[in-house]
Amino acid sequence: MKRILMATDLSERSDRALRRAVALASAFRAELEVVHVVEEAWLEAITSQIEKTAHDAIAQQLQSIDAAKSVQPNIKVLRGWDHQDIIERSRELDVDLIVLGVHRHKAPELFQGTTAERVIRHGDRPVLVVKDPVSGPYRKAIVAVDLSAHSVAAASCAARLVSDGHVCFVHAMHRPFVGFLGRDSQEPHLRDERTRIGTAMDKMIGDVSAVCESDVPEFSKAVDAGDVRGILRANADRLKPDLIAVGTHGRGGVAHAVLGSVAADILADAPCDVLVAKAA
């Protein structure tokens, strides 16, 4: 991980994200740029004053973070329109990760339309949404795995962020023919499916380990039949992770409403920080 972009709105939640971004930049010896977007709707004199105030506020926040002295982040105040400029800047710098803060929401619909949601949906870089105060490096992660290229991207990024810890791949199997077969009749189908998925997850773990090179976390896998959200919640309760990773295609319309709903639910009410990635 060579370059990290952190976008701040100067709120308390963004302060947590700033501390996490600095910690990651220090750990990876990566370049870090801290960005704040000022809307262009103001008069020139007012905009210039807001820019200076924002720059000074970010500089003051960085002074309170010890690790920032060695990282020496660049501060960039942009004039523009929020998520569009964050995405454009991430592409200009060719960053490996975007770090954002977000308020906790109890319903997915409250997360929709936020800057974080728009950056995730329309951008093409992994996004780390920081919810919790920083107490140290990530030690334990859960990755929601559907064996798609997007979940592989999320797993690879999560493994790099939790290089000295434990990463659990979690897959929720669909229980077949629920309306027609009893549980006893379903079990043979589930055993076959569990074997197939387990083999695919073993290969995925091998592929992700190869990407990690020398810094490889401990891997485990959990394959259960049931609702994706319920399975993830149960494993989160069991493992108490400090990071949950999920892949998303980021499309809009009906495809997003169906396939992206899991990512939206996790982002809205996860018990910890969330990493979202999509395949290149």
Side-chain angles (χ1 to χ4, degrees):
M1 192 164 292
K2 298 178 180 179
R3 284 176 288 275
I4 298 171
L5 178 71
M6 188 271 157
T8 177
D9 62 3
L10 302 177
S11 67
E12 178 185 356
R13 294 290 180 181
S14 285
D15 180 61
R16 296 178 178 186
L18 179 61
R19 291 180 179 275
R20 177 60 70 184
V22 169
L24 290 173
S26 178
F28 286 100
R29 298 182 180 179
E31 298 175 10
L32 172 62
E33 180 165 290
V34 183
V35 170
H36 178 75
V37 180
V38 176
E39 291 191 6
E40 293 181 315
W42 304 100
L43 296 174
E44 173 64 28
I46 297 175
T47 301
S48 297
Q49 183 57 46
I50 293 174
E51 286 177 332
K52 182 180 184 306
T53 301
H55 187 283
D56 292 347
I58 295 170
Q60 186 174 1
Q61 286 182 334
L62 288 170
Q63 286 178 355
S64 68
I65 305 174
D66 292 337
K69 296 178 177 64
S70 60
V71 173
Q72 296 185 330
N74 180 51
I75 301 174
K76 186 80 171 178
V77 180
L78 302 171
R79 295 187 185 187
W81 301 103
D82 212 3
H83 75 280
Q84 297 176 5
D85 297 276
I86 294 170
I87 292 170
E88 183 177 344
R89 188 62 179 165
S90 73
R91 291 168 178 166
E92 289 175 357
L93 297 176
D94 191 22
V95 302
D96 302 295
L97 182 70
I98 299 174
V99 181
L100 301 172
V102 68
H103 293 280
R104 290 187 185 275
H105 300 292
K106 292 299 182 182
E109 58 269 19
L110 296 180
F111 181 76
Q112 295 173 6
T114 63
T115 298
E117 191 266 346
R118 289 170 175 167
V119 170
I120 290 167
R121 182 184 293 201
H122 300 291
D124 54 10
R125 310 292 158 141
V127 177
L128 175 64
V129 178
V130 178
K131 297 189 174 187
D132 291 336
V134 179
S135 59
Y138 292 123
R139 295 298 184 189
K140 195 178 297 183
I142 286 177
V143 183
V145 172
D146 62 3
L147 304 180
S148 69
H150 302 296
S151 64
V152 173
S156 299
C157 191
R160 289 195 293 271
L161 295 181
V162 196
S163 58
D164 292 328
H166 175 212
V167 177
C168 180
F169 291 179
V170 176
H171 182 90
M173 293 189 304
H174 171 66
R175 189 175 287 278
F177 313 116
V178 174
F180 302 96
L181 297 179
R183 185 171 294 272
D184 291 343
S185 300
Q186 292 174 24
E187 287 307 317
H189 297 281
L190 290 176
R191 281 196 298 270
D192 292 343
E193 185 69 357
R194 193 184 302 274
T195 299
R196 183 188 71 81
I197 292 170
T199 300
M201 291 175 75
D202 287 338
K203 181 182 183 304
M204 186 173 172
I205 289 173
D207 293 341
V208 172
S209 298
V211 173
C212 295
E213 297 177 347
S214 59
D215 298 323
V216 182
E218 176 188 358
F219 290 105
S220 64
K221 59 186 180 182
V223 182
D224 298 299
D227 173 71
V228 176
R229 298 163 186 80
I231 297 300
L232 285 174
R233 190 172 294 112
N235 279 278
D237 291 342
R238 176 175 64 89
L239 294 171
K240 301 294 189 295
D242 43 25
L243 181 67
I244 295 177
V246 60
T248 182
H249 47 67
R251 293 193 297 269
V254 174
H256 175 82
V258 177
L259 299 177
S261 61
V262 174
D265 284 352
I266 293 171
L267 284 159
D269 194 28
C272 58
D273 295 356
V274 178
L275 173 71
V276 184
K278 59 184 69 170

